[in-house]
Amino acid sequence: MHIYGLHVLDLAIVVLYVAAIVWIGKRVARRTKSTDDFYVAGRKLGGFYQFFLNFGTSTSADQAVAVARETYRQGIGGMWIQFLVLFLTPFYWFTTLLFRRCRLITIGDFFAERYGSRFLAAAFAVFTLTMAFIGGGVSYMVAGKMVLALTPKPESAYTESERIAVAQFNEYQQLKAQLAQGLSPTQQARYQELNERAKRGELLSFVSYLDRRWIYVVYAIVVATYIGLGGFSAAAIADALQGFLILIFSIALIPLGLSRIGGFAGLHASVPDYMFRVFGSAATSEYAWYTIVAMSLANLVSIIAGAPMMATAGSAKNEMTARVGMLGGMFCKRIIMLFWALAGLLAIGLYAGRVHDADLIWGYMTRDLLFPGGVGLMLTGVLAASMSALGAQAVTNSALFVRNLYQPLAPNRSEAHYIRVGRFVIIAVLLGGIITALYADNLLNLFKYFISVPAVFGAAIWLGFIWRRVTKWAVILQVLFCFALYAIIPNVFPLLDCVRHNPAFLRETQPRTITLATAALAEDVAAGRAANVGQTINKPHVMEPAGVFFEKVVRIDPADPHSPKIGQGRFQAEIWLLSWFGLDFSACSKAQLVAIRFLVDALLPFVLLFLLSVVTRPVPKLHLDLFFARLHTPVQPTPEAEVAALSQAASQPDMYDRGKLLPRSNWEVMKPTWLDLAGFGGSWILVGVVLLLLWLMVTIGR
């Protein structure tokens, strides 16, 4: 028996899971008495909960879907949309220590304490709440598209417009498959029309029974209920349950997919060999090695501004628990990501050209490969992964609003009052995510915001921890300029007709057809292009033009090849800024354009902070002495020892000066201890192990 295409057994499993996490929230609510309990779990989480909290907070189903969808589009190189965090993992060994020693609740508190600026604290809170709408939108989109893919209508239930959209999709895929071999003039004109419609999202490979808006509403109610009741403790306990479900959903598709395609040998016989290149080239992928380097730099600047970072580190009972829990959870995620990428490779071999929206590929595989009950477990795992990240972020965003926006305006209220306000904020943030999900185009666009936009504040946090000379006004001016460049201009310019229709902004890269030496696939043997699978043959590969300033450049009327063009999607303000200096990017590839954008995002904030700090007033020395004295004081095992150690450090602000790399300077970088070196060096060894596993995964069966 099915309900809207979903088997009743699958539906029952989902309902049982929802009931379980709501019960967890209700149980934890009885122990939640203060804002410290609600926002940082009383600073007493042990290693078990720290591991799963960090694993669950950093691991979301939207990341799995993003890795699978980009691998499906680009080959294994597409996994770098998320996997680039592998090279950032060792730095968590230091950032976690800094956040735990801050002894604060939110990163907004950091700006108030380090720079003596309530304005910056409030600005960070507003910025993070805005980003939370985007983050929430990602989680909703994943849950919604997963459910849509699992509830398809039969063709007999299509409306006329739906039937046409599906038929045009199938026609488009047939023409696209013949593109490299050449099309007749009539076919070429038809392909161009359908390609324009595909850019607009007008073509469909299937239609669902359900309306995604109702999926979003139900999802938001569930998250708001269990997190609103129990706060960060509920998130930590639920993450322990959700961690196991994440493992299930990450691995479940692999053995069935390999069995269907004929094992790893069958995978290599079905997928072009250039799609197994870990570091793609500009000719075949948007993720060349230099693109990955640029995106990694931008993400390194951004990661420290992740709102939950202060709360997850601050909730640990001591420094070592925080550091080990963070790295343990993060490396577990890195290994799980290999399975997500493998799922994307399997999807290429099994479903290439059969799905109109790459975001749907995970749900499409689930529907095709799993059985009743298995589909329910997969759907539950996806929901669990999304809720684990969304729940912790919702609590953190609530803390930012209450502590950095509301409490300064309404001081001296009861703890119960602030918790009630925080619960209302959680609901508001979740509703904001629904709005984002309804208007966003796809997951990839949202993920690229997370890579670069937090760098607006990330640079000020990095420098704030290690350089005394960075000033409040330098941070304020840098934040305003970079926020305009990274977020406002890219989203406002596409709304202006004078920009969207401006020929200067409608430049595109040059289309090219290149010849690739590649191993023959089963389809090449069937078509007579090779004698056997694996034989080296030359195949044409078409590089479609890409927008230079706009993400897409499309014709107003897809059916008219002479129709004027218009800019669509994100406006690349970073490229526009560089063009002021006479640089022409028309000859660049898509991979090069992406690399240039992220290099600007990574480096520009630091350049501005260094230049502006030289010409603006420093933060008072006494204020900085108190901040850095606390930062350098190790966390003590008891509250009494904490008070004594912090009092001594405050009365002797120079007591840690001899431990610096550059004593009596503005640089607050401490000499590394053996524990610092062991943790950092050991982390890089684990990075190498994960890369080895990745290499083995793409070479086995070749």
Side-chain angles (χ1 to χ4, degrees):
M1 179 180 176
H2 292 75
I3 299 176
Y4 290 116
L6 196 63
H7 195 279
V8 290
L9 179 59
D10 300 318
L11 187 60
I13 291 173
V14 174
V15 171
L16 181 63
Y17 164 73
V18 169
I21 61 170
V22 171
W23 178 80
I24 288 172
K26 186 176 180 180
R27 291 277 296 178
V28 174
R30 299 173 185 174
R31 305 198 302 266
T32 303
K33 306 299 182 185
S34 68
T35 51
D36 265 17
D37 292 335
F38 192 73
Y39 293 128
V40 288
R43 300 192 187 278
K44 53 192 177 187
L45 293 182
F48 176 82
Y49 284 122
Q50 272 290 303
F51 172 83
F52 279 108
L53 179 64
N54 284 289
F55 177 57
T57 300
S58 65
T59 308
S60 182
D62 49 73
Q63 298 164 346
V65 173
V67 170
R69 68 126 28 218
E70 282 301 278
T71 304
Y72 178 70
R73 286 198 324 115
Q74 301 280 324
I76 196 66
M79 74 180 297
W80 291 109
I81 186 66
Q82 273 291 301
F83 205 56
L84 56 87
V85 296
L86 174 66
F87 302 117
L88 314 183
T89 311
F91 295 93
Y92 285 114
W93 187 249
F94 297 111
T95 59
T96 303
L97 176 68
L98 294 172
F99 281 132
R100 184 62 185 91
R101 285 191 179 179
C102 278
R103 299 167 173 87
L104 302 171
I105 292 179
T106 73
I107 295 181
D109 295 342
F110 165 84
F111 282 100
E113 293 289 326
R114 166 60 179 85
Y115 296 106
S117 173
R118 285 188 175 180
F119 171 79
L120 278 174
F124 181 80
V126 172
F127 167 80
T128 303
L129 289 169
T130 303
M131 291 295 293
F133 294 162
I134 299 175
V138 169
S139 294
Y140 290 123
M141 287 176 66
V142 169
K145 291 191 175 187
M146 183 73 177
V147 174
L148 290 177
L150 295 178
T151 55
K153 284 183 181 179
E155 292 185 19
S156 58
Y158 286 174
T159 64
E160 180 61 20
S161 61
E162 291 169 348
R163 185 191 63 77
I164 293 173
V166 172
Q168 289 182 341
F169 172 81
N170 293 327
E171 182 186 1
Y172 172 64
Q173 291 300 326
Q174 292 172 1
L175 292 172
K176 190 174 183 179
Q178 303 171 32
L179 189 61
Q181 282 72 42
L183 301 175
S184 69
T186 302
Q187 289 176 318
Q188 184 67 38
R190 181 60 172 166
Y191 172 78
Q192 293 296 337
E193 177 186 348
L194 294 176
N195 189 44
E196 293 294 322
R197 294 189 185 280
K199 289 180 183 179
R200 296 167 175 269
E202 296 174 2
L203 308 185
L204 302 175
S205 57
F206 69 91
V207 182
S208 172
Y209 276 111
L210 301 179
D211 186 327
R212 60 177 178 156
R213 291 172 293 185
W214 288 109
I215 300 172
Y216 297 159
V217 170
V218 172
Y219 181 80
I221 290 173
V222 173
V223 177
T225 300
Y226 90 90
I227 290 297
L229 287 170
F232 213 72
S233 294
I237 295 172
D239 280 352
L241 167 64
Q242 291 163 334
F244 292 108
L245 292 172
I246 291 169
L247 294 174
I248 291 173
F249 102 78
S250 297
I251 298 172
L253 295 174
I254 304 304
L256 294 172
L258 286 172
S259 176
R260 173 79 64 86
I261 207 169
F264 282 97
L267 179 63
H268 281 276
S270 305
V271 178
D273 65 346
Y274 63 81
M275 286 194 164
F276 288 91
R277 295 173 186 169
V278 173
F279 297 99
S281 69
T284 60
S285 173
E286 294 175 16
Y287 301 97
W289 68 266
Y290 46 80
T291 315
I292 296 166
V293 170
M295 293 174 71
S296 296
L297 286 174
N299 208 14
L300 179 60
V301 181
S302 296
I303 58 168
I304 203 167
M309 293 286 290
M310 186 75 78
T312 52
S315 64
K317 62 182 181 181
N318 56 49
E319 294 173 6
M320 185 56 67
T321 299
R323 296 174 96 170
V324 173
M326 175 68 75
L327 285 183
M330 291 297 178
F331 272 112
C332 183
K333 173 188 173 181
R334 307 309 183 240
I335 293 173
I336 289 298
M337 291 169 75
L338 298 177
F339 292 99
W340 301 345
L342 182 54
L345 287 174
L346 288 168
I348 299 171
L350 292 171
Y351 314 114
R354 290 168 55 183
V355 183
H356 69 273
D357 181 352
D359 292 344
L360 294 164
I361 198 63
W362 199 280
Y364 195 92
M365 292 181 73
T366 297
R367 188 183 79 204
D368 184 52
L369 296 176
L370 295 184
F371 45 84
V375 171
L377 281 173
M378 174 62 75
L379 182 54
T380 300
V382 169
L383 293 175
S386 296
M387 287 179 181
S388 62
L390 184 59
Q393 290 165 1
V395 176
T396 302
N397 296 326
S398 170
L400 279 167
F401 178 87
V402 171
R403 293 183 60 81
N404 304 125
L405 291 173
Y406 181 76
Q407 200 166 340
L409 300 176
N412 304 320
R413 304 294 179 90
S414 68
E415 294 283 279
H417 173 81
Y418 290 129
I419 291 175
R420 283 196 301 272
V421 173
R423 285 171 173 153
F424 282 116
V425 174
I426 289 173
I427 295 172
V429 170
L430 293 173
L431 290 176
I434 293 178
I435 295 172
T436 301
L438 290 174
Y439 288 96
D441 289 323
N442 59 55
L443 289 173
L444 179 61
N445 293 338
L446 296 183
F447 267 104
K448 287 183 177 178
Y449 274 98
F450 290 124
I451 291 173
S452 61
V453 174
V456 169
F457 282 93
I461 299 173
W462 278 113
L463 279 184
F465 275 130
I466 63 174
W467 190 42
R468 280 177 169 251
R469 190 61 183 82
V470 63
T471 70
K472 175 182 74 174
W473 278 105
V475 175
I476 291 173
L477 295 173
Q478 174 262 312
V479 164
L480 292 175
F481 183 86
C482 289
F483 187 71
L485 188 70
Y486 299 174
I488 295 178
I489 293 174
N491 290 290
V492 171
F493 272 32
L495 303 177
L496 304 176
D497 285 340
C498 61
V499 176
R500 291 191 300 156
H501 294 272
N502 189 334
F505 293 141
L506 300 181
R507 296 179 196 167
E508 295 179 89
T509 60
Q510 297 298 317
R512 285 184 287 167
T513 299
I514 61 174
T515 300
L516 295 175
T518 182
L521 306 177
E523 64 182 49
D524 297 313
V525 175
R529 292 188 289 267
N532 56 273
V533 172
Q535 176 186 341
T536 300
I537 60 174
N538 293 321
K539 294 179 71 173
H541 178 80
V542 178
M543 296 176 62
E544 299 274 6
V548 173
F549 295 107
F550 275 100
E551 184 181 359
K552 298 177 184 177
V553 177
V554 302
R555 295 196 181 278
I556 296 175
D557 182 359
D560 181 2
H562 303 292
S563 172
K565 291 185 175 182
I566 188 173
Q568 193 177 78
R570 185 186 191 272
F571 182 81
Q572 314 295 6
E574 299 91 343
I575 302 295
W576 180 49
L577 176 66
L578 293 178
S579 71
W580 295 356
F581 301 95
L583 299 176
D584 183 8
F585 299 97
S586 299
C588 291
S589 67
K590 183 67 176 292
Q592 290 168 335
L593 290 172
V594 173
I596 292 167
R597 168 191 163 184
F598 283 107
L599 275 177
V600 173
D601 293 342
L603 302 178
L604 181 61
F606 288 101
V607 173
L608 292 175
L609 284 174
F610 279 114
L611 293 176
L612 293 169
S613 292
V614 172
V615 297
T616 52
R617 182 188 303 173
V619 178
K621 182 178 183 302
L622 178 60
H623 184 92
L624 292 176
D625 286 344
L626 293 175
F627 174 81
F628 284 106
R630 181 171 60 189
L631 184 66
H632 297 320
T633 301
V635 172
Q636 302 299 308
T638 65
E640 295 77 17
E642 274 278 271
V643 171
L646 291 174
S647 297
Q648 181 184 11
S651 62
Q652 303 175 45
D654 297 329
M655 64 182 293
Y656 293 108
D657 196 65
R658 286 180 297 178
K660 298 178 186 177
L661 282 175
L662 298 173
R664 295 181 297 280
S665 74
N666 283 324
W667 293 97
E668 293 285 340
V669 181
M670 306 300 289
K671 296 174 183 176
T673 65
W674 71 267
L675 186 61
D676 294 329
L677 296 175
F680 191 63
S683 297
W684 280 110
I685 293 173
L686 291 176
V687 168
V689 170
V690 176
L691 286 174
L692 176 62
L693 293 174
L694 173 60
W695 178 80
L696 290 173
M697 186 183 78
V698 298
T699 55
I700 186 172
R702 179 175 294 179

